[in-house]
Amino acid sequence: MATYQKRGSSWRAIVRKQGFPVQSKTFRTKGMAQEWARKIEDDMASGKMDEDARLQSITLGEIWKSHVEHLKHQSHRRDYRNLTDAKIMNEYFGSDMPIGELDYNALVKFCEYRVKHDGVAPATNQRTLMALSSALSTATMTLDLPSSYVVEMKKWRKQVGRSGLSGKPQSRERRASPRELDAIITAAYHTRHMLTSPLHDVVDFAVESAMRQGEILSIRWDDLDAESGIIVIRDRKHPTMKSGNHQRVPLMGRSLEIIQRQPRVDERIFPYTKTQIGGGFTRICERLEIKDLRFHDLRHEGISRLFEQGYQIQEVAMVSGHRDWGSLKRYTNLRPEDLVNREREQLAKKDRPPAGEGE
């Protein structure tokens, strides 16, 4: 029940109800105080007041910790991206900040800071906000986070996207030329004694297999069927399934040959970290003055080569793991010259006289 106290030229509303903490606030007019009191009473009756109290009792740090632990139980792989996003958000907001204080305005300020001070692209912000949404969804199961907050977060995320502070990544068309690949593999081989991984083999395998870096570093000896030329990629990336998406994949080109020359020192075929591989690749590219080439571009190159070799889209999808064949278009990037050359070869075959004719 609400009571009102006049204090000078102001009015103070006090709402008391069994099972809830006393709520009070001061306003310029009695009408404003009454309107606020009615809203508080409605929130108490509907349960929203309980939700608000719950949002103030769960911290951002607890949300991320719960999510990372949940992922560990769901998958054998460690999700490094989520760890990075958790670290970034915890450092910016503070891990002890109540999750109820993270609203639309706070998200906008966070994304603005990341763009202006850290130089990230809108796509990076979108990835972080998507990871946060996943963490919040997990918290509805593990921390009893109100589901209504997750719904609000989804709306805020869309609004941030409309502001231009987050968005989809621009599709890349960068391919590694044969000369660049030869230079990288040669440099990695000749400096292998200085590296902590056989980077020359990993780079070569990335192009031949068209696998993602995380997939390369997760494949196991036990999942290799050398006789059939097949390997199982566990928990392969999937638009909806976060775990259990194991896929049998054909080892193309010289992939099997590269695997078989690796020493068996671990359950994984390539027992290295993303920092070792990605960092080593970046340093070699810088030393060779190769511009704007990323490790993931090697997968792009591998998929493009499969198309150029004449494989059909459903066959390439079996290698790459793409569920949506339409998304393979951004990986093909066939050169116009390739189509011209193929057409000329076909015409030449048609015009060629049959064997023995004219003799």
Side-chain angles (χ1 to χ4, degrees), residues 14-71:
I14 305 171
V15 181
R16 295 183 176 88
K17 187 173 182 178
Q18 187 175 1
F20 292 89
V22 176
Q23 302 288 318
S24 65
K25 195 170 183 180
T26 302
F27 298 87
R28 288 186 292 105
T29 66
K30 185 176 182 179
M32 294 171 65
Q34 290 172 328
E35 182 179 353
W36 174 83
R38 280 194 296 270
K39 182 179 182 305
I40 294 298
E41 289 174 333
D42 289 343
D43 288 346
M44 289 178 173
S46 65
K48 187 177 184 302
M49 186 65 70
D50 289 334
E51 292 185 356
D52 291 343
R54 189 67 187 142
L55 291 175
Q56 292 300 316
S57 67
I58 304 173
T59 67
L60 178 64
E62 290 172 336
I63 295 283
W64 281 114
K65 182 178 179 181
S66 168
H67 186 51
V68 171
E69 288 299 321
H70 176 74
L71 291 176

Side-chain angles (χ1 to χ4, degrees), residues 116-340:
K116 293 178 181 177
H117 294 272
D118 297 337
V120 305
T124 302
N125 277 337
Q126 175 165 290
R127 188 199 73 195
T128 301
L129 296 184
M130 290 290 288
L132 174 64
S133 291
S134 295
L136 294 175
S137 295
T138 298
T140 61
M141 300 180 290
T142 59
L143 299 175
D144 196 27
L145 181 75
S147 58
S148 59
Y149 181 75
V150 180
V151 175
E152 287 298 309
M153 177 58 67
K154 185 176 181 180
K155 295 177 183 176
W156 297 336
R157 199 178 71 235
K158 288 183 178 180
Q159 291 171 351
V160 173
R162 294 191 189 102
S163 72
L165 290 170
S166 72
K168 294 182 178 180
Q170 296 180 348
S171 57
R172 286 173 59 81
E173 297 185 1
R174 180 69 160 93
R175 289 185 59 176
S177 70
R179 180 177 296 180
E180 287 174 330
L181 283 173
D182 287 344
I184 293 169
I185 292 173
T186 300
Y189 178 78
H190 288 303
T191 58
R192 63 190 184 281
H193 62 285
M194 301 170 58
L195 301 171
T196 56
S197 64
L199 184 60
H200 58 290
D201 275 347
V202 176
V203 169
D204 204 5
F205 184 81
V207 177
E208 293 291 319
S209 68
M211 289 185 192
R212 301 175 179 88
Q213 183 182 157
E215 294 168 350
I216 295 172
L217 301 182
S218 69
I219 53 176
R220 304 177 178 185
W221 289 107
D222 288 346
D223 293 330
L224 172 66
D225 182 349
E227 184 176 349
S228 301
I230 303 292
I231 196 163
V232 174
I233 298 179
R234 295 173 177 265
D235 296 331
R236 198 165 202 189
K237 185 177 180 181
H238 189 279
T240 57
M241 295 173 60
K242 300 303 180 184
S243 63
N245 185 40
H246 306 331
Q247 187 175 17
R248 296 176 70 249
V249 178
L251 291 166
M252 307 300 287
R254 293 179 293 104
S255 299
L256 180 59
E257 174 190 332
I258 297 170
I259 284 177
Q260 290 178 324
R261 65 172 176 251
Q262 304 307 309
R264 289 199 179 215
V265 296
D266 190 272
E267 65 177 10
R268 293 184 297 151
I269 296 171
F270 298 101
Y272 312 104
T273 67
K274 290 186 177 181
T275 300
Q276 288 174 297
I277 301 303
F281 181 82
T282 299
R283 286 191 294 273
I284 285 180
C285 286
E286 289 174 348
R287 189 164 69 247
L288 295 174
E289 297 185 350
I290 296 176
K291 307 295 184 183
D292 189 37
L293 185 66
R294 305 171 186 172
F295 190 91
H296 191 72
D297 295 331
L298 303 180
R299 168 175 162 84
H300 186 145
E301 177 64 25
I303 294 174
S304 297
R305 289 186 181 189
L306 292 174
F307 278 108
E308 291 168 351
Q309 291 168 22
Y311 287 100
Q312 299 299 307
I313 192 167
Q314 66 270 22
E315 296 171 321
V316 175
M318 185 180 295
V319 178
S320 68
H322 284 89
R323 299 285 174 170
D324 177 12
W325 291 359
S327 62
L328 277 171
K329 293 178 181 178
R330 66 182 293 267
Y331 285 97
T332 57
N333 291 330
L334 302 181
R335 302 178 181 92
E337 294 84 357
D338 298 324
L339 296 180
V340 173

